[in-house]
Structure formats: structure tokens, C-alpha cells
Amino acid sequence: VPAYNEAANIKRTLDSIVDSDYPAKEIIVVDDGSKDLTYTIASQYMQTCKHCRIRVMRKQNGGKASAMNYGLRFAAGEIIVIVDADSRIEKTTLKEVAKQFQDPNVVAVAGTVKVLNAVNILTNCTALECVAVPNLQRPAFSLFGIVMIVPGALGAFSKKRLMQCGLYDRDTITEDFDLTIKIAKGGGRIVAIDAISYTECPTTLRGFYKQRIRWYGGVFQGLLKHSDVMTSGRYGMLNRLGYPITLLMFLIPPFLDFVVIGITVLAIVGGLPASYIAAFSLFFAFQFVLSGIAIMMDKNRPWKLILYAPFSIFGYKQINNFVVIKSIFEMMMRKNHHKW
């Protein structure tokens, strides 16, 4: 559990991990030079928790990748599970994750991240996104064993493979995406499962922007860093499926969306033809159908989220796409220096 200034969340996170029903777990908390009471709160567990081993370490601030690498030096287990310090896992999550490693070909497992604080339009749109992506996109990648992002909120790795690929690098700002590609390059299966981690998401546009500009900038960094995947067939499904689809899905939709907006504006000015209205109505209905399918596939079936499906077409989608485009240009201009 890497942590930086997480005094408000660390207790809830550690309570959920301690209460999980996995029997022989070792919990390592790395406080990366926090300026609040994160270390003090986490340290209390070393005295109060009797049925599992907990270590709380403190180091000089060096970033999330540095914190995780530091903790990995002391990890004794064969399976490494990373949980963000503002997340909460379910009681059965660790068991569900560990089961996947009974297959010797599995080298990493991506958990499912859900929104803990769906309190306004923005957070509910994020919650719908967190339902739609795992249920509609990841199953296909998981079937081929090439899930492209093992999230920091809940990700698990074979310790042996982590050591082989050199742990976390510090040259990108989304270390989870970078590490996932590094592990995929070495072969083996990376799968996604329904084991859940609940996490806090930004409740304001400012917070949302700061989070996503870092995410998308880091994804673009990772795609550039590992561009050699496209030219080498020795990377198997990563070369044939994982990398090219991720690249296309990252680059094309944001720019295409603004082209469609421009065409729509011109169509409105010139008078909307019946064919355009019909096509748009079908697209709008299709978005509702996709959202409904994703919600039905979710074990909790949060039907209220379907009310936010229109924002997947207007509003939330354009904000997301704007941030993607801006992050790309910032990275190209070398202006992006985000920290956790």
C-alpha cells in the first residue's frame, strides 16, 4: 500500500485489507514522506493487529513508483497485490485474486475498480464509466490474456515476473500502465476478474482534470516508450492485439469526436436532414443499450447509472476527449510534470 498524504483514507483502506478472509497475508505500507498523519495512523496497526503481519515504513518522498519499489524489497510472498491508499477492497477480493495464480501461465491480474463516492453528476458519470469498461471491453482482452492496464487501485503480480522485468520505472507518470506492458512483453497471461476495489474519485471538474491529465499523459508516454512492440512479432498477442487496439482507441476517438461535433454544427446551421436525425437517434439509443448491457453484467446492477448514459454522448465524453488531446500535446511539448 503506497501512501502519500492519505491520513483521511488510510484507516479505511487498512481495515478492509485486515478484514479480508485471505489467511496468510503480509501487509506493507510505505509512507512516501507524507506531511500529514498518514504514518502515525498506519503505525497503530502494528500494535493492534494480531492475526496478520503488518509493516509500516517511511521514506523520503520520491514518487509512487519509488514507494512501491521500496516496499517490494521487503515483500516475502510469491503474489504481490497493490492497493492504493484511498481504496477499499471487499472481504473476498484477495482470495479471488490469488485463485488466478493457480494457473502457472498467469503473471498478472487486474481487479475491478468501482467508485466509492458517487455523489454528483461527475462522479456518477465516472461510476458508469467504471461499470461499462470492465464489462464491455476488458472481457475480450482477458480472454486473450492481454489486459493492458493492471490498475493501481487493485492489481496483482507474480513476484518472480516483477523481479525479472525490473520493477516499476520512474520515467512515466502512469507506472501501472508502463509496468503492465513490461510484464506483457515477457509473455504469460494478464487477466481481469470481478474482484472489487472501491476508490474515491474527484468530485470537481478541477480535480477530475488534474487526475485525467496525468492518466492520459502517462498512457501516451507508455505508448511511445514501448512503440517497439509494433515492429516485433515476438511479443505475440501484445503485438497483434493489445498494443495496436489500445493505440487506436486512445488516439482516434477523441479527435474524431470533435470532427463529428463540427459536422453536426454545420448540419444544424444548414437545416438537419431527416436522415441525420434518424442516424443520431439510433446512435443515442445504442448508447443506452450498451449502458444497460454493462449494468446487467455487473453483479450489483446499479440501474440508477443508466440515467447518466446521455452524458456518455454529450458533456462527460467531450471533457474526457479534450483532456486526452491536451495531454497528448503537452507530452509532445514536454510540459507535463505531474506528481502524485
Side-chain angles (χ1 to χ4, degrees):
V1 183
Y4 177 70
N5 289 346
E6 292 290 354
N9 301 307
I10 191 69
K11 184 179 187 305
R12 183 183 61 200
T13 299
L14 292 179
D15 283 343
S16 72
I17 298 173
V18 169
D19 292 341
S20 68
D21 60 3
Y22 192 83
K25 56 182 177 284
E26 174 191 41
I27 304 170
I28 298 176
V29 182
V30 181
D31 176 25
D32 191 45
S34 296
K35 299 175 183 178
D36 61 7
L37 296 176
T38 298
Y39 180 78
T40 302
I41 295 170
S43 295
Q44 294 172 0
Y45 285 80
M46 290 192 292
Q47 285 76 41
T48 59
C49 185
K50 304 300 181 184
H51 60 279
C52 60
R53 182 182 179 188
I54 298 183
R55 293 187 184 188
V56 181
M57 304 170 180
R58 194 170 198 177
K59 61 178 286 295
Q60 186 177 359
N61 181 261
K64 191 174 182 180
S66 170
M68 290 186 290
N69 287 342
Y70 187 82
L72 285 167
R73 297 179 191 174
F74 302 93
E78 296 177 10
I79 300 171
I80 304 295
V81 181
I82 307 294
V83 178
D84 282 344
D86 62 352
S87 300
R88 185 187 73 194
I89 64 173
E90 292 188 327
K91 193 174 185 69
T92 60
T93 291
L94 295 182
K95 274 189 175 180
E96 291 176 32
V97 168
K99 283 179 185 177
Q100 304 304 311
F101 289 94
Q102 292 178 349
D103 179 350
N105 293 317
V106 170
V107 293
V109 177
T112 298
V113 180
K114 298 285 185 71
V115 172
L116 185 64
N117 58 330
V119 295
N120 57 23
I121 292 176
L122 180 63
T123 52
N124 275 290
C125 287
T126 305
L128 178 59
E129 181 183 21
C130 290
V131 169
V133 172
N135 290 329
L136 297 178
Q137 296 182 17
R138 287 204 311 176
F141 283 89
S142 186
L143 179 65
F144 290 101
I146 195 62
V147 172
M148 291 298 291
I149 299 181
V150 178
L154 179 60
F157 306 92
S158 157
K159 185 181 180 183
K160 181 180 179 180
R161 175 55 63 85
L162 272 178
M163 296 303 176
Q164 287 174 343
C165 73
L167 305 182
Y168 288 89
D169 290 340
R170 300 175 64 181
D171 56 354
T172 71
I173 53 177
T174 49
E175 59 288 318
D176 48 1
F177 180 60
D178 177 46
L179 180 67
T180 304
I181 299 181
K182 285 173 63 178
I183 287 176
K185 281 182 167 181
R189 292 176 53 80
I190 303 176
V191 299
I193 61 173
D194 291 334
I196 295 174
S197 175
Y198 295 93
T199 191
E200 298 272 358
C201 70
T203 58
T204 65
L205 279 175
R206 179 181 176 85
F208 180 85
Y209 171 81
K210 288 177 66 177
Q211 180 195 66
R212 296 302 173 102
I213 198 76
R214 184 182 69 82
W215 282 5
Y216 298 141
V219 168
F220 189 55
Q221 280 183 322
L223 290 170
L224 291 177
K225 176 180 175 180
H226 298 286
S227 59
D228 60 305
V229 169
M230 288 289 286
T231 59
S232 178
R234 69 188 178 92
Y235 294 124
M237 293 304 296
L238 180 63
N239 162 264
R240 295 191 292 272
L241 178 70
Y243 186 96
I245 290 181
T246 301
L247 180 65
L248 291 175
M249 290 176 63
F250 182 73
L251 292 179
I252 294 178
F255 292 96
L256 185 62
D257 184 52
F258 285 102
V259 171
V260 171
I261 291 173
I263 294 173
T264 302
V265 171
L266 292 174
I268 292 173
V269 172
L272 288 172
S275 58
Y276 191 94
I277 296 174
F280 182 80
S281 298
L282 285 172
F283 178 72
F284 197 80
F286 184 60
Q287 187 64 47
F288 268 96
V289 170
L290 284 178
S291 297
I293 291 172
I295 291 169
M296 286 182 65
M297 293 174 67
D298 192 275
K299 64 180 181 180
N300 296 323
R301 297 196 173 179
W303 282 108
K304 73 163 189 173
L305 294 180
I306 203 167
L307 298 174
Y308 299 90
F311 295 104
S312 299
I313 302 172
F314 294 117
Y316 184 79
K317 181 181 180 182
Q318 281 70 44
I319 293 171
N320 243 330
N321 289 338
F322 168 76
V323 179
V324 171
I325 293 171
K326 189 171 186 295
S327 69
I328 290 172
F329 282 109
E330 283 192 356
M331 281 298 168
M332 291 174 67
M333 299 297 293
R334 308 277 184 186
K335 292 181 178 180
N336 209 320
H337 303 286
H338 301 283
K339 298 180 180 180
W340 75 327

